[in-house]
Amino acid sequence: MSTELDPYSAQARTLTADVPLLSDRVLVEVANRIGVVHDLTRHRAAETGASRVFSALVGADRDRQLRSIGALTTNQEDLLSWIVQVANATSVTAYGLERVARHVKQVRDLAQAAYDGVRQTDAELRHLATVVSEFAAACERRLRATENRVARLERAVDAADAFERTLGRWSTGLTYRRLPWLCQVVLIAREVLAGPYGRAHRVDGPRDRSAMIARLVGGRPAGLAGTHTYLDEMVAAVDSKNAAEVTTWLLEPELRIGPMTEAVVLALELAALPSPARLAEPGRTALSLVRSRRGRPSHSATAVDVATWLVDEQFAAALP
């Protein structure tokens, strides 16, 4: 008895892609049993009436029926077992797909959380960049302010040192000691202005000049006197030759001289005139001429007033 497997091969190849297959041994047995059932069925169909009666009497027909039913039953059991395996495989596959689905959802949630975190981090970084930029700008402003304060302090220290050197040399008689007091006041004020003191005055604003004036006045009488007496005292301290030389020192073309300085210069010019033309009181005459044109200085003043006028005029002329 032969068994044809070709009808089942195509089905088997189709099933291999989707479900677990029967083992080769079980598949062969199922095919053999199906072939046996076909053979028994064909044999019974080919029997004549007498043969059927004889087979029924001797029990051959009953035996063939039992064999057919047994083969079909066994095949059904094998197929049922295979179906159970397929169901189990499907359950396992569904469970696996469920786990995969949960994993994919977790991955998606993590990806979304990471994306949200990146967006939040980006916003925080932008905010941090803004804060850092503002902080850097504030630090730069504070640094510039500190540098300006340090530079101003350095200028103040340099100005104080230069001021002390200038006034120290003058007070010890190292500079201008042969000149009259009014000329000394003018030249010392200009020397102070030409150095760090004047630079600090130009950059940082007006500086207090009371200490300079107090040092310049020194021990001179504090009482009120005629302004012309200070000029006449100056003229008396120089001869005509020295008066001309001192006048040259005091006349600086680039400076605009004030009224008191102009009176000093004019008094020296009058004192430098030859004896026949020299006036008896050049200081009084110079003061009157300046007052007639400029209305200042006043007729009477203290030594502090005169020193203040001269110093202020040098500052005004050098630092417009």
Side-chain angles (χ1 to χ4, degrees):
M1 181 175 57
S2 62
T3 302
E4 296 291 333
L5 296 179
D6 293 336
Y8 309 104
S9 298
Q11 298 179 9
R13 285 193 297 270
T14 303
L15 291 173
T16 54
D18 300 320
V19 297
L21 298 178
L22 294 169
S23 64
D24 293 341
R25 182 183 61 80
V26 174
L27 185 60
V28 171
E29 291 177 352
V30 169
N32 286 333
R33 285 192 289 269
I34 292 174
V36 170
V37 171
H38 281 299
D39 288 342
L40 293 175
T41 302
R42 286 196 300 270
H43 179 72
R44 187 174 183 185
E47 283 183 328
T48 61
S51 297
R52 290 180 182 176
V53 173
F54 179 75
S55 296
L57 291 175
V58 297
D61 185 59
R62 177 65 176 173
D63 181 60
R64 285 193 294 269
Q65 289 180 355
L66 292 175
R67 288 174 61 189
S68 298
I69 293 172
L72 293 175
T73 300
T74 303
N75 278 356
Q76 289 177 351
E77 291 176 352
D78 289 339
L79 290 174
L80 179 61
S81 175
W82 175 68
I83 291 172
V84 170
Q85 291 180 8
V86 172
N88 292 335
T90 303
S91 299
V92 172
T93 301
Y95 176 71
L97 289 175
E98 182 182 358
R99 294 195 59 183
V100 170
R102 287 201 302 269
H103 178 70
V104 170
K105 184 178 182 302
Q106 292 176 356
V107 172
R108 184 187 63 187
D109 294 341
L110 290 175
Q112 184 64 39
Y115 176 72
D116 295 340
V118 168
R119 293 184 60 185
Q120 182 178 0
T121 303
D122 181 67
E124 292 175 352
L125 288 176
R126 291 179 183 273
H127 177 68
L128 179 61
T130 302
V131 172
V132 170
S133 178
E134 294 175 353
F135 179 72
C139 289
E140 185 177 0
R141 290 193 297 270
R142 294 292 297 274
L143 179 60
R144 289 180 178 176
T146 302
E147 291 175 347
N148 292 335
R149 287 196 295 270
V150 171
R152 184 171 184 172
L153 179 61
E154 290 176 348
R155 288 191 295 269
V157 171
D158 293 341
D161 290 343
F163 175 80
E164 289 298 329
R165 285 195 301 270
T166 300
L167 272 294
R169 289 196 301 268
W170 170 75
S171 61
T172 57
L174 297 178
T175 57
Y176 313 122
R177 63 187 181 88
R178 294 183 179 181
L179 296 177
W181 177 69
L182 293 182
C183 298
Q184 291 179 4
V185 172
V186 173
L187 294 176
I188 288 173
R190 291 182 181 178
E191 181 180 348
V192 168
L193 284 170
Y197 190 95
R199 182 165 56 252
H201 185 86
R202 287 189 297 271
V203 175
D204 302 324
R207 306 184 68 80
D208 183 22
R209 296 189 282 275
S210 59
M212 179 189 299
I213 293 171
R215 294 275 294 273
L216 290 172
V217 172
R220 299 186 67 83
L224 189 67
T227 306
H228 68 89
T229 60
Y230 298 100
L231 297 173
D232 288 336
E233 178 187 339
M234 175 192 67
V235 171
V238 295
D239 55 28
S240 59
K241 181 180 179 180
N242 290 337
E245 184 178 357
V246 173
T247 301
T248 303
W249 290 354
L250 297 180
L251 284 176
E252 297 187 19
E254 68 274 10
L255 293 181
R256 303 187 310 274
I257 61 177
M260 188 63 200
T261 307
E262 183 180 356
V264 170
V265 172
L266 184 56
L268 289 172
E269 289 177 341
L270 294 174
L273 293 175
S275 297
R278 187 172 183 178
L279 301 176
E281 294 181 324
R284 184 187 295 275
T285 303
L287 180 63
S288 298
L289 290 173
V290 172
R291 281 184 53 82
S292 66
R293 290 189 295 106
R294 308 182 69 165
R296 294 180 297 163
S298 63
H299 285 290
S300 60
T302 64
V304 173
D305 294 334
V306 173
T308 301
W309 293 340
L310 290 174
V311 170
D312 288 347
E313 288 174 5
Q314 308 321 304
F315 272 76
L319 306 172

